[in-house]
Amino acid sequence: MTATVHKVLLHSSYGYLLLSAVLHFFVDVLQQYWRGERPPGAESTYYYGLHTAYSLGQVAFAVLALIVIGTGSDFLSGFLGQLLSIALVAAWFVLCLVFFEYFPPKLHLMIVSVLLVAAAVTSFASRTSAGA
């Protein structure tokens, strides 16, 4: 039972990361570009570049994680996979704290981190119950 919950939590966390990153890209890059909210210049280039790199990095990691989970690999269920995921979410959270002045990206990363911690707990629970 806990193995099923663990897989659902893994799919939920990376699926939510993918969804929030795609929406972040559409709202903060494409929508502002199409509406012409930022005048051309160095500041706009840095803004678009930062938000593009931030969201597309999340998209790439989430898609890769979902592919790894879909192939049946247990790498992301293991300690190193969980450590990698939590370290990347922490790095993205630091980027949010330093460069983003608004709250929604921080909230999305908090939700992803709670789902990842829940997945780690269920992974630990399934390993300890299998050993008993």
Side-chain angles (χ1 to χ4, degrees):
M1 175 67 177
T2 56
T4 305
V5 172
H6 176 68
K7 292 292 184 186
V8 167
L9 285 170
L10 281 177
H11 279 93
S12 299
S13 60
Y14 296 117
Y16 186 79
L17 180 65
L18 178 64
L19 176 68
S20 65
V22 167
L23 291 176
H24 178 85
F25 182 74
F26 279 125
V27 169
D28 283 341
V29 177
L30 292 180
Q31 184 181 18
Q32 289 193 17
Y33 178 75
W34 287 333
R35 292 186 350 195
E37 290 186 18
R38 296 192 169 271
E43 184 178 330
S44 295
T45 302
Y46 292 141
Y47 178 86
Y48 291 137
L50 174 69
H51 286 274
T52 300
Y54 172 81
S55 59
L56 293 183
Q58 287 181 350
V59 166
F61 181 69
V63 167
L64 180 63
L66 288 171
I67 289 171
V68 168
I69 293 168
T71 60
S73 174
D74 287 336
F75 174 72
L76 293 171
S77 298
F79 177 74
L80 289 177
Q82 293 169 358
L83 184 66
L84 174 69
S85 297
I86 292 173
L88 282 172
V89 168
W92 285 317
F93 195 74
V94 168
L95 281 174
C96 279
L97 289 176
V98 173
F99 294 109
F100 298 168
E101 63 274 358
Y102 43 91
F103 188 68
K106 297 170 191 149
L107 176 67
H108 295 305
L109 286 175
M110 285 185 238
I111 292 170
V112 170
S113 61
V114 166
L115 288 169
L116 285 173
V117 167
V121 168
T122 57
S123 173
F124 178 72
S126 66
R127 277 188 260 142
T128 56
S129 65

